[in-house]
Amino acid sequence: MSIKYSKDHEWVDSSNAAAAIVGITAHAQDALGDVVFVDLPEVGKTYAAGDVAGVVESVKAASDIYMPVSGEVVEVNEQLRENPSLANTDPTGAGWFFKVKLSQADELAGLLDEAAYQDFTKA
């Protein structure tokens, strides 16, 4: 897996050239607490990096989901919509949010690697 992280606490797995997978990090789900609702983006909609693409609500707060890279949403995780707690129990696996066809793959270079993200979350 080739995972990068945004400073908004999303992860991006770009190991599949057809579509990168996006979710929230373990750090984010831990800070949110029990996730109770997820508003996922519309399939077919195009976003720029930094756009709000969805909302995640927990028992503590609601938080926007930001698009970490530009592209078109090609699939959303319907299982997550039906069972939002997957974001807590398996944030980098079954709790993924959506898949995006990258329009500017070079934006991945601007995201954090694992070590940099760990340092970022300690700050």
Side-chain angles (χ1 to χ4, degrees):
M1 254 193 310
S2 177
I3 296 183
K4 296 280 196 151
Y5 301 87
S6 75
K7 290 184 177 179
D8 295 314
H9 308 288
E10 287 88 16
W11 56 266
V12 181
D13 178 357
S14 61
S15 59
N16 181 339
I21 304 170
V22 177
I24 63 170
T25 66
H27 175 83
Q29 68 81 26
D30 190 49
L32 285 167
D34 293 337
V35 174
V36 295
F37 176 78
V38 178
D39 182 26
L40 297 171
E42 181 181 332
V43 172
K45 188 169 181 180
T46 300
Y47 294 88
D51 285 352
V52 173
V55 175
V56 59
E57 293 182 17
S58 72
V59 294
K60 292 182 181 176
S63 182
D64 290 333
I65 306 296
Y66 296 96
M67 183 64 78
V69 289
S70 300
E72 177 187 350
V73 174
V74 295
E75 184 179 347
V76 297
N77 186 352
E78 295 295 342
Q79 189 177 16
L80 178 66
R81 194 186 314 258
E82 296 169 13
N83 184 7
S85 67
L86 289 173
N88 295 117
T89 59
D90 194 7
T92 56
W96 62 276
F97 279 55
F98 53 87
K99 295 181 181 179
V100 60
K101 181 177 177 183
L102 303 178
S103 62
Q104 298 181 40
D106 59 331
E107 290 175 342
L108 291 167
L111 298 175
L112 305 172
D113 63 18
E114 173 82 31
Y117 182 72
Q118 294 302 322
D119 287 345
F120 175 73
T121 57
K122 291 177 185 172

